[in-house]
Amino acid sequence: MYKMRGFHVQKLEVLRSSSAESTCSTRSVSCSSNISHSSSDPHRIPKVKRKVMERKFRISPATLRNELENNDVYNNNYLETVLLDEFLTNLVMKEYVWQLNRQDIKCFNNEVIGNIKATVGEKLPTKINREILIRSIPAENNYLVRIGHRIPSADFLKLWRNYDTDHSGYLEIKELQFLVHDFAQLVGEDVSGEDLNKALNSLMSEFDVNKDGRLELEELSHLMSVEDNFMKAFCSRQYLTRKDFDRIFAHYDTDSTGYLDKEEVMALLNDILKYHESSDAHIPVPVLKEVYKEVMKACDTNNSNTIQKCELALLLTSV
């Protein structure tokens, strides 16, 4: 049995950006007016012909990903066709909030359904494949949401390490260029030049909440699909059983090496800290690094720069 105490880090100040209210740019309907005069009747009131332009709807990656997750599309790899109309209605309403009327919603739904039919034929199957569904939705940079599974927190930290090449604790523009390019290639698209710049501008506009020109760990997590806090089920317990301990170790040892490397330990600490701060927001990387150093000093008894299974027991009973 392993006793679980509260995790305390003295003089730890976590500075987080306050969540910015999601803003939607107003889509205006432009009209061109042509006044026609009747030459036969000079007293006739001129007719005004109004040409209403179609509204172009674009769904943001964050909104699309959230709705896909809410409907379990990533896990199932499909959406039931009977739920398609409701899914699309909820999607466009969440993106545009109060800016829509019934005709707008109908036009959006018909556009997406038309795109699906162009791929699968006029008769829709009983289930819509995830990839076909995402490709059919008019979304900005939809390749950013086509990686279809929730990422374990340890793998999320490893992905961060891979692109944070200068180890600054942030992803700057040059690093984000590689991330966007790799994401696009992963789903078979080629993004470069002007398209890459547009994708980056769109990404930063939506996910750079504090507008500092770079992404923090928490900001990137809104782009990715990261698993829920695994430690939430254990941190509230006074004692951990052997089975609990084995589950925790196996979960964070994502590459099955028999030990926890730096990112895997940081992912574990991140989840513990989030629980004790009663927050779902990720701890900033610079803070995580400081906590990691203190934990390794206390728990890495063989100085291997990893946490062995016996050392994890020490970590969990000391935090």
Side-chain angles (χ1 to χ4, degrees), residues 95-290:
E95 182 68 33
Y96 290 90
V97 196
W98 302 111
Q99 303 177 39
L100 302 174
N101 55 42
R102 291 183 181 180
Q103 186 61 32
D104 291 328
I105 296 171
K106 183 178 179 180
C107 287
F108 175 79
N109 290 9
N110 288 343
E111 179 185 355
V112 176
I113 293 172
N115 292 339
I116 295 173
K117 288 182 176 180
T119 303
V120 303
E122 281 298 313
K123 186 176 181 180
L124 294 178
T126 57
K127 298 175 181 178
I128 307 298
N129 176 270
R130 182 193 74 220
E131 179 70 11
I132 293 174
L133 175 64
I134 296 176
R135 283 181 174 271
S136 301
I137 293 172
E140 299 290 348
N141 312 315
N142 69 8
Y143 51 82
L144 294 175
V145 298
R146 282 160 56 190
I147 300 174
H149 63 277
R150 291 174 70 82
I151 302 173
S153 56
D155 287 345
F156 179 55
L157 266 294
K158 289 177 181 180
L159 180 143
W160 178 275
R161 174 201 61 188
N162 187 54
Y163 291 100
D164 183 19
T165 54
D166 60 1
H167 309 293
S168 66
Y170 304 91
L171 295 187
E172 284 88 10
I173 293 298
K174 287 185 178 180
E175 295 165 332
L176 288 168
Q177 286 178 336
F178 289 108
L179 184 145
V180 171
H181 182 268
D182 289 351
F183 267 44
Q185 282 200 329
L186 197 60
V187 293
E189 293 196 16
D190 183 25
V191 178
S192 58
E194 187 61 28
D195 289 337
L196 179 58
N197 291 332
K198 287 182 179 179
L200 278 172
N201 290 337
S202 175
L203 185 150
M204 296 302 288
S205 175
E206 182 168 358
F207 297 103
D208 182 18
V209 177
N210 60 4
K211 304 304 177 186
D212 63 353
R214 57 189 184 179
L215 290 189
E216 300 176 0
L217 192 67
E218 171 64 13
E219 292 170 332
L220 183 65
S221 72
H222 294 299
L223 170 63
M224 311 292 294
S225 180
V226 184
E227 68 176 2
D228 295 330
N229 190 344
F230 184 78
M231 289 301 295
K232 187 179 289 186
F234 303 100
C235 286
S236 60
R237 302 179 187 178
Q238 187 176 5
Y239 294 97
L240 293 178
T241 66
R242 166 64 68 176
K243 185 177 180 180
D244 293 336
F245 174 77
D246 290 340
R247 283 184 62 197
I248 293 170
F249 188 86
H251 181 80
Y252 289 95
D253 182 20
T254 57
D255 50 9
S256 302
T257 57
Y259 58 82
L260 303 186
D261 60 26
K262 180 177 180 179
E263 282 70 33
E264 291 166 344
V265 175
M266 288 177 65
L268 171 61
L269 295 174
N270 182 49
D271 286 346
I272 293 174
L273 287 171
K274 286 197 298 182
Y275 172 82
H276 285 286
E277 292 194 356
S278 302
S279 172
D280 291 327
H282 290 272
I283 307 301
V285 172
V287 176
L288 268 181
K289 286 182 177 180
E290 291 302 315

